Amino acid sequence: MNKELIVRSSSDIVDFALLKDGKLIELHKDDEDNDFAVGDIFIAKIRKVMPGLNAAFVNVGYEKDGFLHYHDLGPQMPSLLKFIKRVSTGKLRDYNLKDFPLEKELDKHGKIANAIKSNQSILVQVVKEPISTKGPRISSELSIAGRYIVLVPFSNRISISQKIESQEEKDRLKRLVKSITPKGFGVIIRTVAEGKKVAELDSDLQTLLGRWTAMCKKLYKAHHPTKVLGEMNKASSILRDIFNDSFSGIIVDDEEMYVQVKDYVQQIAPKKESIVKYHKNGPIFEKYGIERQIKTSFGRTVSMARGAYLVIEHTEALHVVDVNSGNRSNKEKNQEDTALEVNMISAQEIARQLRLRDMGGIIVIDFIDMGKAENRKKLYNYLRDEMKDDKAKHKILPPSKFGLVQITRQRVRPERNIKTKEENPNVLGDEIEAPIKVVDRINQDLQRIFKKDYKKVTLNTHPFIAAFLTKGYPSPRSKWFFEHKKWVKVLPRDAYTYLEYHFFDKDGNKIK
């Protein structure tokens, strides 16, 4: 398994495409105008306490106030409020918390009106970006993420990732981290820390302590609201969270960002520094086939292997995915086997689509009905395995009596929604799928036709699509010839609508 990160930079937006064996699995965007990214920390003021919700609304500078629930205050809230007051007024200049007396922990079943008051200064961290009509979801349980560890101020707990399975390794890491963690701070040990030496962990810890100190220095007489600690640049934060030995390439088309990424990779994995490359010539997303994959992956309909396809609908409350077998037919297998095969293909694509579109909240999938309990279990286990690499927290329920699979997936930002339709040349004011999507369907139909050993195949299609298929080198038609050793005659038909196409055999009979 090879992973590549392709980075495309423009004046104010940077796009990150993560490829797994050449297939697009994640797409991220870093927009300079996004002031409320997950992980950002603000010094803000409580605008209104709502006892009925056991929550408060906090002015963080967004058009809608941030939502802070009592359970997101954190047990050390009284200590944090005392610390903010003393630092903001200049009475405290030592930020290491070693000699800072901690207050009594907050009662987890308490009321928000007894913990905080309106117009009070507070440090909050964005845990969910603004989505639709809602402001950001925030927390006062602060954490600063590094490569190997996460620093938690006003705590004394050492926690460790559940994904590290060896108890011996867990004990070793806990022992090492405990020996280097200063008083007043807790630490969460991340999965990538497995097998690392104390020097690497300490270096990461010192970097995080430096970020904490820099943040505290900004609190003195700070204007409210102000961002006092921003997440590191998107390229570094993505690499921090997903980089591992399976990466075979990081390609960047901006020289300044190339230097930043190279420096960061040199810090976290010096042996992998050589995989960072600078792309100079032409559009980088087209060179690596990403533009095409975006066009064919983000529409309402998603085509898959062997004629099957998904229909994906987004609503305010949930996302709905319908699985269809399409024009697929196989006389050698019964209906149950066909349903299982299509469902397995769909499960793999659905796991990819959830990451690609960053779909969160409630997702309901209508798989093709299967009569056998063992097949339903097989599908459920396969879907769980396919989603193992998904960093977002998620839970999958077994298929219901109606054959529906329900998934809840952590929703921290709006889903990616990329427009894949273009202006319809036949109908003014109408929109239709881009030519790449039409060509993708033609490709799938040809795969099926070539298997039936037709001696001569003619394709009739709209002039625009015909030009797309035959112009340039190598054209899509040339690629068909190199792959299947069969030449397809393409005839433009003015009478056809944009999406219409038909195949004919050597006798002029329509191929269905």
Side-chain angles (χ1 to χ4, degrees):
M1 179 183 70
N2 288 325
K3 284 185 180 175
E4 292 178 297
L5 184 68
I6 314 298
V7 185
R8 178 179 66 180
S9 180
S10 61
S11 57
D12 56 349
I13 295 175
V14 183
D15 291 302
F16 303 86
L18 180 63
L19 306 181
K20 179 180 174 183
D21 295 329
K23 195 166 187 178
L24 182 65
I25 57 170
E26 285 187 25
L27 193 63
H28 301 273
K29 182 172 77 169
D30 184 17
D31 191 340
E32 284 186 0
D33 296 334
N34 184 14
D35 293 325
F36 300 92
V38 173
D40 289 348
I41 298 177
F42 290 79
I43 180 74
K45 286 215 171 178
I46 298 161
R47 191 191 292 277
K48 196 172 185 181
V49 176
M50 307 290 287
L53 297 173
N54 207 19
F57 288 102
V58 180
N59 175 20
V60 290
Y62 187 67
E63 57 190 83
K64 298 272 187 179
D65 289 339
F67 183 78
L68 178 65
H69 194 271
Y70 181 82
H71 292 147
D72 294 321
L73 293 178
Q76 298 293 346
M77 186 68 195
S79 301
L80 177 63
L81 291 174
K82 180 181 174 183
F83 180 81
I84 294 166
K85 188 173 182 180
R86 294 183 65 182
V87 171
S88 298
T89 54
K91 292 180 181 177
L92 183 66
R93 297 293 175 92
D94 183 8
Y95 312 124
N96 62 21
L97 306 183
K98 185 174 66 174
D99 301 317
F100 185 80
L102 297 180
E103 299 292 304
K104 184 183 176 183
E105 288 192 1
L106 211 60
D107 178 12
K108 62 181 178 181
H109 301 298
K111 303 291 184 185
I112 197 156
N114 299 328
I116 54 177
K117 296 177 177 60
S118 296
N119 215 36
Q120 199 168 18
S121 292
I122 190 170
L123 273 175
V124 292
Q125 187 165 29
V126 177
V127 294
K128 186 186 284 189
E129 293 176 15
I131 296 173
S132 186
T133 58
K134 299 172 183 174
R137 179 78 183 254
I138 52 181
S139 169
S140 280
E141 202 161 6
L142 309 179
S143 62
I144 307 173
R147 170 70 175 154
Y148 303 120
I149 60 177
V150 178
L151 188 69
V152 184
F154 306 103
S155 174
N156 55 10
R157 290 184 59 192
I158 308 292
S159 306
I160 191 159
S161 167
Q162 294 298 315
K163 291 182 180 178
I164 298 177
E165 295 176 355
S166 166
Q167 188 59 48
E168 188 180 340
E169 177 63 7
K170 283 184 177 181
D171 294 339
R172 183 190 76 89
L173 286 170
K174 275 191 176 181
R175 190 171 61 252
L176 289 181
V177 169
K178 199 169 185 178
S179 68
I180 59 174
T181 305
K183 187 183 174 186
F185 291 93
V187 163
I188 302 167
I189 304 168
R190 306 185 73 174
T191 310
V192 287
E194 191 169 6
K196 299 301 175 187
K197 296 178 181 176
V198 68
E200 294 171 284
L201 300 174
D202 187 52
S203 173
D204 201 27
L205 177 65
Q206 295 308 318
T207 302
L208 297 178
L209 288 169
R211 295 186 72 201
W212 163 258
T213 301
M215 182 197 82
C216 292
K217 286 178 180 177
K218 294 179 182 178
L219 297 180
Y220 179 57
K221 293 184 178 178
H223 174 73
H224 293 57
T226 298
K227 186 192 291 187
V228 289
L229 183 67
E231 258 288 14
M232 58 174 69
N233 69 70
K234 194 75 172 179
S236 299
S237 66
I238 288 174
L239 288 171
R240 178 194 69 198
D241 294 337
I242 66 173
F243 186 82
N244 56 35
D245 291 337
S246 66
F247 270 72
S248 59
I250 302 170
I251 299 95
V252 189
D253 70 349
D254 178 79
E255 197 164 1
E256 186 179 338
M257 183 159 284
Y258 163 74
V259 173
Q260 287 178 7
V261 170
K262 199 172 178 69
D263 287 347
Y264 187 71
V265 173
Q266 205 279 328
Q267 287 176 30
I268 64 173
K271 293 178 182 177
K272 285 279 190 177
E273 186 186 354
S274 60
I275 70 172
V276 184
K277 295 182 174 61
Y278 176 46
H279 175 85
K280 294 180 183 178
N281 304 316
I284 189 168
F285 271 22
E286 289 188 17
K287 167 81 187 295
Y288 291 91
I290 297 164
E291 208 67 67
R292 179 188 181 89
Q293 291 192 57
I294 289 172
K295 288 278 189 184
T296 56
S297 299
F298 275 89
R300 178 176 172 269
T301 304
V302 178
S303 299
M304 298 181 295
R306 302 176 191 177
Y309 65 95
L310 304 175
V311 177
I312 302 176
E313 301 273 11
H314 305 285
T315 72
E316 186 77 14
L318 48 79
H319 309 278
V320 183
V321 183
D322 185 35
V323 175
N324 296 277
S325 58
N327 57 17
R328 193 169 179 281
S329 62
N330 192 332
K331 294 177 183 177
E332 295 177 3
K333 292 185 177 181
N334 58 41
Q335 186 178 349
E336 182 79 8
D337 290 341
T338 302
L340 176 63
E341 191 172 3
V342 171
N343 283 340
M344 299 289 264
I345 293 168
S346 302
Q348 186 179 31
E349 182 61 29
I350 287 165
R352 170 179 173 255
Q353 285 289 331
L354 296 186
R355 292 175 70 182
L356 195 55
R357 302 184 189 217
D358 205 5
M359 290 158 60
I362 301 170
I363 301 121
V364 178
I365 306 161
D366 183 12
F367 284 105
I368 299 172
D369 289 347
M370 295 184 294
K372 295 181 181 178
E374 62 263 32
N375 285 343
R376 292 196 293 271
K377 187 176 181 181
K378 188 175 181 181
L379 172 65
Y380 173 62
N381 291 335
Y382 184 72
L383 180 59
R384 285 203 307 177
D385 288 343
E386 285 296 315
M387 290 190 66
K388 267 184 183 175
D389 289 340
D390 196 338
K391 295 286 181 186
K393 291 178 184 174
H394 60 271
K395 187 172 184 179
I396 308 170
L397 296 182
S400 70
K401 289 180 181 178
F402 303 114
L404 302 177
V405 171
Q406 299 166 72
I407 301 174
T408 59
R409 186 174 181 272
Q410 186 181 27
R411 189 185 192 194
V412 296
R413 57 183 65 85
E415 72 270 2
R416 292 300 305 269
N417 190 12
I418 294 176
K419 189 178 177 183
T420 60
K421 292 193 172 185
E422 297 180 358
E423 195 175 310
N424 187 347
N426 298 309
V427 183
L428 191 64
D430 189 26
E431 287 188 330
I432 49 171
E433 298 290 3
I436 282 180
K437 292 208 74 172
V438 184
V439 173
D440 198 50
R441 288 194 210 120
I442 290 172
N443 279 331
Q444 290 187 19
D445 286 344
L446 270 176
Q447 297 284 345
R448 181 172 47 83
I449 287 168
F450 284 142
K451 284 178 182 176
K452 295 183 179 178
D453 201 32
Y454 285 97
K455 300 297 180 189
K456 184 180 175 185
V457 176
T458 301
L459 170 63
N460 290 5
T461 184
H462 188 280
F464 286 8
I465 304 297
F468 188 90
L469 293 171
T470 56
K471 303 300 179 188
Y473 186 82
S475 66
R477 181 170 61 173
S478 303
K479 291 178 181 176
W480 297 338
F481 180 74
F482 294 142
E483 186 178 350
H484 301 285
K485 303 298 182 286
K486 290 182 181 178
W487 186 254
V488 178
K489 186 176 181 181
V490 179
L491 288 180
R493 295 291 299 272
D494 293 330
Y496 279 23
T497 61
Y498 193 58
L499 298 179
E500 188 179 355
Y501 64 89
H502 297 290
F503 293 99
F504 296 89
D505 62 17
K506 61 182 177 62
D507 298 321
N509 297 318
K510 190 184 288 185
I511 302 172
K512 295 183 179 179

